[in-house]
Amino acid sequence: MAPTPSAEPIIHMRGVQKRYGHFTALKGVDLDVAAGEVVVLLGPSGSGKSTLIRCINHLEEYDAGDVFVGGVRVERGRNLLKVRQQTGMVFQAFNLFPNLSVLDNVALGPVRVKKLSWDESRAKARTLLTRVGIGAQAEKFPTQLSGGQQQRVGIARALAMEPRILLFDEPTSALDPEMVGEVLDVIKGLAHSGVTLVLVTHEMGFARQVADRIVFMEDGEIREVSTPDVFFSSTRNERARAFLDAVLNH
């Protein structure tokens, strides 16, 4: 069930443009996301989905427009720390430190950023690893885990910073097919837990099940915003229908 929109969305984007040389990846995107909402970005490769979410936490610097997170403008300088304290990111690649145990990979951020003690942060990390279903792997190193387990460590690491927003950039695309379900189950468990989720994914069944809204992108523009039922069952957008036909009948 979608949350009741607040007066001020937790993510507010207006006229956002991003260029790479002569190529324009985002062509004036407008998007609002309410606190606690689950928004899934769909569209063909190269449509701007990953660029959009990377502009939310300034992993990509947008060229024009405005992005606000929790009322704070996303820009270089002091604001950026405030923004990143509110946002966590889970990538396609796991980006874990191979020389640290799973437990310390999760505990490191709160120690460095929030100045927690190692004992306090490790205790919190154990709880989070249990929450994502891999508490028994805490003392292992990342290379000793499967891809699905490593991605769950990545999710626990993002949660350790107590973000208001979690951004997922195709979190299952680097996984073997048999490992996809275990990661999607963890994300489902986070949906409607109070954390705002914005996800880029190619998993259509998952998108339909978990999203409050589907945002369909193509050629750097948002072509449609609708509920999952409308998008998957009765979209009138020709480009969206063509995309669904190509993906679902592949």
Side-chain angles (χ1 to χ4, degrees):
M1 183 176 178
T4 301
S6 59
E8 180 181 286
I10 194 167
I11 299 171
H12 175 75
M13 309 180 80
R14 283 295 179 272
V16 177
Q17 298 179 32
K18 174 62 183 178
R19 294 180 291 275
Y20 300 98
H22 296 296
F23 174 70
T24 302
L26 296 178
K27 301 174 181 176
V29 168
D30 296 343
L31 180 66
D32 286 343
V33 179
E37 190 176 17
V38 180
V39 172
V40 175
L41 307 180
L42 298 180
S45 296
S47 58
K49 308 180 301 295
S50 293
T51 301
L52 187 152
I53 65 166
R54 291 170 73 89
C55 285
I56 292 172
N57 66 350
H58 210 264
L59 287 178
E60 295 284 358
E61 185 172 2
Y62 53 96
D63 297 303
D66 292 293
V67 181
F68 289 86
V69 169
V72 178
R73 191 172 193 274
V74 179
E75 58 189 348
R76 288 187 182 184
R78 286 178 295 178
N79 277 6
L80 193 53
L81 178 59
K82 295 177 184 177
V83 168
R84 290 186 173 164
Q85 286 174 338
Q86 300 184 71
T87 58
M89 183 103 178
V90 179
F91 300 90
Q92 297 177 38
F94 317 123
N95 293 343
L96 302 177
F97 294 107
N99 59 319
L100 296 180
S101 68
V102 164
L103 184 69
D104 284 351
N105 263 280
V106 177
L108 180 62
V111 168
R112 284 192 172 174
V113 178
K114 300 197 170 196
K115 308 306 179 187
L116 266 63
S117 69
W118 273 106
D119 285 347
E120 186 178 3
S121 192
R122 283 175 176 142
K124 181 178 177 181
R126 286 188 188 279
T127 299
L128 289 171
L129 289 169
T130 300
R131 180 178 176 182
V132 300
I134 51 170
Q137 313 300 326
E139 306 303 333
K140 291 184 178 179
F141 289 88
T143 54
Q144 297 175 283
L145 305 185
S146 69
Q149 290 172 326
Q150 289 187 60
Q151 191 60 290
R152 284 188 277 169
V153 176
I155 294 170
R157 180 179 58 184
L159 288 170
M161 299 302 292
E162 299 180 338
R164 299 175 67 196
I165 300 163
L166 274 177
L167 308 172
F168 292 86
D169 187 6
E170 298 189 23
T172 60
S173 66
L175 301 179
D176 293 333
E178 64 269 21
M179 297 176 185
V180 169
E182 65 188 58
V183 172
L184 295 182
D185 284 343
V186 171
I187 300 173
K188 287 176 191 174
L190 297 174
H192 311 118
S193 66
V195 181
T196 305
L197 305 184
V198 183
L199 305 101
V200 175
T201 185
H202 291 295
E203 302 291 336
M204 297 297 117
F206 167 74
R208 185 168 192 167
Q209 184 177 8
V210 77
D212 294 314
R213 284 188 298 155
I214 300 291
V215 174
F216 174 70
M217 296 187 67
E218 189 178 55
D219 295 331
E221 298 178 335
I222 292 177
R223 305 289 190 186
E224 179 175 354
V225 180
S226 58
T227 65
D229 283 347
V230 169
F231 182 79
F232 285 101
S233 301
S234 57
T235 179
R236 295 182 179 182
N237 185 295
E238 290 185 10
R239 293 173 185 252
R241 281 205 309 271
F243 167 77
L244 287 172
D245 287 344
V247 172
L248 297 177
N249 297 322
H250 181 64

